[in-house]
Amino acid sequence: MSKIAQLWRTTTVRLTAIFILLFVIFSILLLTFLAYQSSIQIQQQQTRAIDREVEALRNIDSRQGVRGIVFALARLASQPGPGLYYLGDNSGLQIVGNIDSIPQNVLESEGVFSFDYNGPGFDEQDVNAEGREGYAVVRSLVLDSGLRLVVGRDVIERRGFTAIVFQGFFYAVIGILVFSVLAGVITSRRVLKRIDAINATSAKIMSGNLSERIPVTKANDEFDTLATSLNAMLDRIEGLMQGLKEVTDNVAHDLKTPLTRLRTKAEAALRESAGGETQRQALETTISESDKLIKTFNALLMIARAEAGAPSGAFADVDVSAVAADVAELYEPAAEEQGLAFETAIAPDVRLRANRELIGQAIVNLIENALKYFEPAEGRAGTIRVAVRSAGGRVLIEVADNGPGIPAEDRARVVERFVRLEKSRTEPGSGLGLSLVNAVARLHKGEFRIEDNAPGVRAVIDLPA
């Protein structure tokens, strides 16, 4: 019973039940109308046929007299078919015809009558054994010659036709009900099976197994589409959870060291033997370490802001060429100080609807990254090149160098938060620079790519114009 109740609660079974009910009601109304109209049409045809024969026989009686009407009626009565004929004198004695069991009231009155009758040649024993032989619809009248004429039709076949129609309808309705219920049960069981699979997978995921996925069949139906979408969502969630774990580990590592140094310096400054100079150095170190921590948290906040989507008011018509030129001018002395050639190829008046602050910060991060990790090869002058151009409805911002580059297998990983290819993590920085660039590109409906510059790398921010 619980399984039946569970099936009944499914939308498929309920919709199937409603469909069956509507279909049965419609079928009953339609077949009833057809049977009724068929019966009426047959009855009207029989009535018209009776009227035509009565009129013809009255004409024969008027023109040819008793002899003519007797001859005509004898000929009609001898023909096979549903026709019923009776001709009697004014005392009720039958002269000719193929029916003799006519009720007395039919013989005494004129009009249309219907009655059960027994055909000629049947004795009482046969009648009792076989029951009624037929059902007649007749018209009774008195001819001009004084003879009593009864003309009619046996309508038992019409009744049989109606009975066959309703019998077929009954079996059809039973078949529809049976097959519809079976179809609803089978369909519901399939639906429940797919839903149970989703529920089972969800239970495993909620228990902590994030690698579980909803099974996808080869049916390519709406459940497979839903399963594919949910699996893609689960892949994304698993990736985010894994990234969160890595971020947590890296944050713990990157913050533990400066906080430990802060505590050590503070303890040293609080010692009674510590002089004023020691305390001053401790405060300067505390400020420096605090600035690094603030910078890290500012980067995290900026990434979160970019990934959350800037409000509509934060976008404006920005001259990307001017922004890139200002940043290049700011960092050109730092590059020359490191012995690097600083080149620019900035097309004029490249404009974009964007957030000026974030675009500028992304360019700054790319240039700082190039300066920080550049290692010039022997016999080759180091070069950093900043370019801005417009092509094919896209705005391309590029920062390229001819240094050692980034291995191809690490290019997708370096845009993740706190990922640093320098394993010792002794270099300054937090591993958030390229993550911010990637977030800014996604915020502006674009993409960030790291390509091979042969040698070196070319970092490209590709944005729709």
Side-chain angles (χ1 to χ4, degrees):
M1 290 299 294
S2 60
K3 193 66 175 178
I4 295 176
Q6 186 180 12
L7 283 174
W8 176 248
R9 287 195 298 269
T10 61
T11 303
T12 304
V13 168
R14 292 184 178 181
L15 290 177
T16 303
I18 293 174
F19 170 77
I20 293 172
L21 179 62
L22 293 176
F23 183 78
V24 169
I25 293 175
F26 175 77
S27 300
I28 291 174
L29 294 176
L30 177 62
L31 291 178
T32 302
F33 174 78
L34 292 176
Y36 175 75
Q37 288 296 321
S38 299
S39 178
I40 292 297
Q41 287 295 323
I42 294 174
Q43 182 179 350
Q44 290 177 350
Q45 289 176 3
Q46 291 175 338
T47 302
R48 287 193 293 268
I50 292 172
D51 291 340
R52 285 195 300 268
E53 287 187 344
V54 167
E55 189 64 27
L57 291 172
R58 291 180 69 173
N59 291 334
I60 292 173
D61 179 69
S62 299
R63 296 174 183 176
Q64 303 178 17
V66 175
R67 181 180 179 85
I69 190 65
V70 169
F71 177 77
L73 202 66
R75 181 170 54 83
L76 290 173
S78 64
Q79 294 177 356
L84 301 176
Y85 306 96
Y86 173 90
L87 183 65
D89 58 17
N90 53 8
S91 65
L93 181 64
Q94 182 176 3
I95 299 174
V96 68
N98 59 0
I99 181 172
D100 54 6
S101 57
I102 297 179
Q104 191 64 32
N105 66 314
V106 177
L107 297 175
E108 294 176 351
S109 306
E110 292 188 358
V112 178
F113 303 91
S114 59
F115 55 87
D116 297 319
Y117 75 97
N118 297 308
F122 288 86
D123 55 24
E124 291 298 324
Q125 185 177 0
D126 292 329
V127 172
N128 293 334
E130 299 294 335
R132 293 193 302 262
E133 185 186 348
Y135 188 80
V137 174
V138 300
R139 178 179 292 277
S140 175
L141 70 156
V142 178
L143 299 175
D144 294 341
S145 60
L147 298 178
R148 171 68 64 175
L149 175 65
V150 178
V151 178
R153 290 289 185 273
D154 186 343
V155 297
I156 196 69
E157 291 184 358
R158 188 186 74 193
R159 286 186 165 186
F161 170 76
T162 304
I164 291 173
V165 170
F166 278 100
Q167 185 180 20
F169 162 72
F170 174 76
Y171 288 120
V173 170
I174 294 298
I176 291 171
L177 287 172
V178 171
F179 285 109
S180 298
V181 170
L182 288 176
V185 170
I186 293 173
T187 304
S188 299
R189 286 181 65 86
R190 284 195 61 193
V191 172
L192 286 176
K193 185 177 180 181
R194 301 293 296 276
I195 294 176
D196 288 342
I198 296 176
N199 289 335
T201 304
S202 301
K204 293 178 181 178
I205 293 173
M206 287 187 292
S207 66
N209 187 3
L210 295 179
S211 62
E212 283 291 329
R213 294 295 179 267
I214 299 171
V216 179
T217 66
K218 297 181 180 179
N220 198 26
D221 55 8
E222 63 276 9
F223 282 100
D224 283 342
T225 303
L226 176 62
T228 302
S229 300
L230 290 176
N231 287 340
M233 180 185 69
L234 292 172
D235 290 339
R236 176 63 175 161
I237 291 174
E238 185 180 18
L240 290 174
M241 294 298 293
Q242 183 64 30
L244 179 62
K245 181 179 180 301
E246 293 178 0
V247 167
T248 303
D249 293 342
N250 290 328
V251 167
H253 184 277
D254 284 355
L255 297 186
K256 181 179 179 181
T257 301
L259 289 175
T260 301
R261 285 199 294 265
L262 282 175
R263 189 176 189 282
T264 302
K265 290 294 183 180
E267 286 182 345
L270 289 174
R271 293 194 188 110
E272 294 182 0
S273 59
E277 185 62 26
T278 302
Q279 292 178 351
R280 180 181 179 83
Q281 290 178 358
L283 290 174
E284 290 176 350
T285 303
T286 300
I287 293 174
S288 176
E289 296 294 341
S290 298
D291 287 341
K292 293 179 182 179
L293 291 174
I294 292 172
K295 187 176 181 180
T296 298
F297 283 111
N298 283 339
L300 286 171
L301 289 173
M302 191 170 290
I303 292 173
R305 174 185 166 193
E307 290 182 343
S312 57
F315 286 88
D317 187 24
V318 176
D319 187 348
V320 181
S321 300
V323 174
D326 291 343
V327 175
E329 182 181 358
L330 179 65
Y331 280 90
E332 185 175 0
E336 293 176 352
E337 192 174 310
Q338 287 185 222
L340 303 175
F342 198 93
E343 300 177 356
T344 59
I346 301 174
D349 200 31
V350 176
R351 309 189 76 84
L352 179 69
R353 185 163 183 79
N355 183 290
R356 180 184 180 89
E357 177 190 358
L358 293 178
I359 292 293
Q361 186 62 53
I363 299 173
V364 167
N365 286 7
L366 292 178
I367 295 176
E368 285 187 349
N369 214 59
L371 291 173
K372 185 187 301 182
Y373 297 106
F374 188 87
E375 295 179 2
E378 292 185 5
R380 185 173 68 240
T383 303
I384 294 178
R385 183 173 181 270
V386 178
V388 176
R389 58 191 173 92
S390 179
R394 312 289 292 185
V395 172
L396 302 177
I397 305 171
E398 302 176 357
V399 176
D401 63 58
N402 60 349
I406 299 175
E409 61 273 13
D410 291 329
R411 289 173 189 168
R413 193 169 64 89
V414 293
V415 299
E416 298 176 7
R417 298 182 191 181
F418 293 104
V419 172
R420 298 169 63 182
L421 299 183
E422 187 255 328
K423 301 296 183 182
S424 64
R425 304 178 74 88
T426 57
E427 291 289 336
S430 57
L432 296 172
L434 296 183
S435 296
L436 176 59
V437 176
N438 188 51
V440 170
R442 289 205 306 268
L443 174 65
H444 292 82
K445 311 301 181 185
E447 63 173 337
F448 173 56
R449 302 189 301 270
I450 298 178
E451 302 173 349
D452 189 2
N453 197 38
V457 295
R458 180 170 58 251
V460 181
I461 303 175
D462 185 349
L463 305 177

